């Protein structure tokens, strides 16, 4: 059994378009709110958290809805096409608004449109990839997402001049629309699903079909709860560090002029380079083992950063450990969750996965921000360290969703 790499890359174009948008949103929307509308930091932070808050409800909703949708072009593709089209329309309108009220209203509509197709886009990979190969498939999806982020950064550098956002937004819209058009033309979802239905089923697929409509066994329920709680904890740790590290480096290590970026860049590069190898290794040693390795790698890195009172080049090594650890976790955690789903429930379980990750990204800026403000910046890495320990403890209670050994 081999992964259809070319098709998986095409499927990944949906996640490519999503990540391309979020790279723009995270980098440029706060600047627009501050520079164009004079919005203060606290209110800007509230507006920027809207996407995570909306995602708590939208991702399970549209994931579940797509599970029960049947059209001539498939069940995920209508949501991907409609969500992408609406997002592109609202993004174009957003670039021409100069009053705060209409801008915020359009921004909410834009976030709603993006919420329509995130869960169906990721579920499409799980639908069209045999269960044992989903870690490899998810590695390619994550790689496509990273490439989408990179493309947006290039567009920002080329097209953003003197805060004139028209050319940048137009180029981003074209990038998003073309990527989804290529996906639609190269991945005939309905046809592929029908073809997969005529092929001999694996033992896992037979068991999943047999479980359809039945209540999940209690042991599997416990595993699902444990892995979702672990998702919450490791996203809490990672998000706390990535959002506050620039300020931490300045306040604690006294780094100036963007010198902190070297560490984050090393972590990102190592993660991107690790996706595909980790996908292959995971198929050999199992998802849980690889996730525990990733948790251990990140826990070690955050622990060592805790005891470093001053900056040293050795931090590059620890952030490389964060990068490879994050890749090991990311590649395997989503396939582990959908492995526990029943036949026809992949969209719902995809939404559940993203609900817990988004809940962490709503919670952790408040919790870690409170500690940073009232206790001190020295709490950043201990906070992340404790969250990773809690992730390890909960992950040890997961006994389902792994790759079946043959």
């Amino acid at each position: 059994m081999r992964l259809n790499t070319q098709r998986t890359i095409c499927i990944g174009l949906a996640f490519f378009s999503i990540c391309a948008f979020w790279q723009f949103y995270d980098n440029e929307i706060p600047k627009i709110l501050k520079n164009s509308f004079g919005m203060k930091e606290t209110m800007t932070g509230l507006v920027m958290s809207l996407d995570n808050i909306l995602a708590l409800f939208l991702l399970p909703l549209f994931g579940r809805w797509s599970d029960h949708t049947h059209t001539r072009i498939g069940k995920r593709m209508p949501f991907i096409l409609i969500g992408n089209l609406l997002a592109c329309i609202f993004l174009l309108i957003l670039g021409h608004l100069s009053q705060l009220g209409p801008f915020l209203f359009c921004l909410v509509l834009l976030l709603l449109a993006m919420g329509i197709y995130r869960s169906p886009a990721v579920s499409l990979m799980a639908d069209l990839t045999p269960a044992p190969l989903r870690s490899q498939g998810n590695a390619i999806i994550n790689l496509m997402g990273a490439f989408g982020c990179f493309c947006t950064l290039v567009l920002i550098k080329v097209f953003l001049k003197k805060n004139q956002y028209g050319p940048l937004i137009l180029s981003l819209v074209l990038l998003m629309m073309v990527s989804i058009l290529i996906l639609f033309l190269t991945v005939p979802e309905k046809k592929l699903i029908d073809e997969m239905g005529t092929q001999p089923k694996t033992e896992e697929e037979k068991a999943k079909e047999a479980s359809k409509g039945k209540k999940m066994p209690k042991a599997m329920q416990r595993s699902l709860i444990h892995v979702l709680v672990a998702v919450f904890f490791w996203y809490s740790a990672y998000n706390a560090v990535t959002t506050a590290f620039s300020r931490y480096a300045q306040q604690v290590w006294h780094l100036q002029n963007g010198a902190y970026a070297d560490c984050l860049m090393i972590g990102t590069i190592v993660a991107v380079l690790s996706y595909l190898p980790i996908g292959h290794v995971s198929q050999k040693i199992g998802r849980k083992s690889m996730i525990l390795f990733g948790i251990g790698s990140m826990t070690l890195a955050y622990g060592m950063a805790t005891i470093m009172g001053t900056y040293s080049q050795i931090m590059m090594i620890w952030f490389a450990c964060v990068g490879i650890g994050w890749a090991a976790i990311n590649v395997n955690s989503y396939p582990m969750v959908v492995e526990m789903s029943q036949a026809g429930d992949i969209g719902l379980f995809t939404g559940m996965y993203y609900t817990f990750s988004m809940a962490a990204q709503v919670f952790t800026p408040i919790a870690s921000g409170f500690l940073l403000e009232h206790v001190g910046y020295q709490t950043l890495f201990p906070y992340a360290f404790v969250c990773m320990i809690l992730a390890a403890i909960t992950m040890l209670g997961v006994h389902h969703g792994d790759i079946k050994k043959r």
Side-chain angles (χ1 to χ4, degrees):
M1 188 182 296
R2 294 183 60 184
L3 181 71
N4 188 325
T5 303
Q6 182 178 348
R7 188 171 73 200
T8 308
I9 289 173
C10 292
I11 293 170
L13 287 169
F15 199 55
F16 169 94
S17 72
I18 291 168
C19 290
F21 168 78
W22 290 119
Q23 186 72 24
F24 167 82
Y25 178 84
D26 291 337
N27 283 275
E28 298 303 325
I29 294 297
K31 288 167 58 179
I32 294 172
L33 292 172
K34 181 179 180 180
N35 298 334
S36 299
F37 301 109
M39 190 173 285
K40 301 298 183 183
E41 294 294 338
T42 301
M43 186 57 68
T44 297
L46 179 61
V47 171
M48 293 304 294
S49 69
L50 279 176
D51 63 313
N52 293 325
I53 295 170
L54 288 172
L56 295 176
F57 310 99
L58 294 178
L59 300 187
L61 171 65
F62 285 106
R64 183 65 167 174
W65 191 356
S66 67
D67 282 336
H68 297 284
T69 297
H70 302 282
T71 72
R72 289 184 299 172
I73 59 173
K75 56 183 180 179
R76 316 295 182 191
M77 202 64 74
F79 292 88
I80 295 172
L81 294 175
I82 293 171
N84 177 264
L85 178 61
L86 290 175
C88 289
I89 291 172
F90 292 134
L91 185 54
L92 285 172
I93 295 173
L94 195 74
H96 292 86
L97 297 176
S98 57
Q99 293 183 327
L100 181 58
F103 183 91
L104 292 177
F105 179 71
C106 186
L107 185 64
V108 170
L109 294 178
L110 174 57
L111 295 176
L112 289 171
M114 291 302 300
I116 290 173
Y117 80 107
R118 180 163 185 166
S119 288
V122 179
S123 298
L124 186 62
M125 183 279 294
D127 287 338
L128 299 178
T129 305
L133 301 178
R134 283 176 183 158
S135 288
Q136 292 185 48
N138 202 40
I140 293 176
I141 295 298
N142 277 280
L143 200 57
M144 291 297 292
F147 185 48
C149 293
F150 173 78
C151 287
T152 296
L153 291 174
V154 172
L155 293 179
I156 290 172
K157 189 168 183 62
V158 172
F159 291 105
L160 184 57
K161 307 294 182 184
K162 298 180 180 178
N163 289 326
Q164 296 298 313
Y165 282 93
L168 171 60
I169 288 176
L170 180 60
S171 63
L172 178 59
V173 164
L174 289 173
L175 181 71
M176 292 171 64
M177 294 189 75
V178 168
S179 62
I180 296 301
L181 179 61
I182 294 172
L183 165 67
F184 178 67
L185 294 176
T186 57
V187 182
E189 181 193 352
K190 182 71 163 58
K191 179 183 176 183
L192 292 172
I193 291 291
D194 290 343
E195 288 176 358
M196 290 177 68
T198 63
Q199 295 175 359
K201 289 182 169 57
T202 64
E203 291 302 317
E204 297 96 309
E205 289 168 337
K206 289 178 182 177
K208 188 166 286 192
E209 286 289 343
S211 71
K212 188 173 183 179
K214 296 180 180 178
K215 188 175 181 181
M216 180 183 286
K218 288 187 177 180
M220 189 178 287
Q221 285 182 13
R222 287 194 292 270
S223 287
L224 178 62
I225 292 169
H226 274 86
V227 73
L228 290 174
V229 173
V231 167
F232 175 86
F233 282 129
W234 63 56
Y235 265 96
S236 292
Y238 185 77
N239 187 255
V241 173
T242 54
T243 55
F245 182 67
S246 60
R247 288 168 287 158
Y248 176 92
Q250 186 175 35
Q251 294 289 329
V252 178
W253 291 339
H254 308 295
L255 297 182
Q256 302 295 330
N257 301 322
Y260 71 91
D262 292 343
C263 291
L264 296 180
M265 232 158 54
I266 287 292
T268 302
I269 291 170
V270 169
V272 169
L273 293 176
S274 301
Y275 282 139
L276 295 182
I278 283 172
H280 287 286
V281 173
S282 300
Q283 195 173 4
K284 305 293 183 184
I285 70 171
R287 293 170 183 144
K288 180 178 177 179
S289 297
M290 188 55 75
I291 288 174
L292 289 173
F293 162 77
I295 291 174
S297 181
M298 292 179 69
T299 303
L300 173 65
Y302 291 149
M304 296 306 297
T306 296
I307 63 176
M308 290 184 65
T310 58
Y311 177 75
S312 165
Q313 290 294 321
I314 199 173
M315 275 306 303
M316 301 289 189
I317 297 174
W318 303 130
F319 268 80
C321 289
V322 171
I324 195 170
W326 189 241
I329 289 170
N330 250 355
V331 164
N332 290 287
S333 54
Y334 169 68
M336 204 165 202
V337 170
V338 296
E339 191 81 8
M340 296 183 226
S341 67
Q342 295 182 348
D345 276 348
I346 284 177
L348 172 63
F349 278 67
T350 300
M352 289 167 59
Y353 173 84
Y354 281 112
T355 293
F356 276 78
S357 69
M358 292 297 178
Q361 293 174 72
V362 172
F363 166 80
T364 210
I366 299 170
S368 64
F370 178 85
L371 292 173
L372 294 176
E373 181 177 350
H374 296 283
V375 181
Y377 274 85
Q378 288 83 358
T379 61
L380 178 62
F381 284 110
Y383 174 87
F385 178 82
V386 169
C387 286
M388 292 309 297
I389 292 291
L390 293 172
I393 293 170
T394 52
M395 194 63 207
L396 290 172
V398 179
H399 303 293
H400 298 80
D402 215 331
I403 295 171
K404 302 284 193 304
K405 299 293 190 296
R406 288 175 170 75

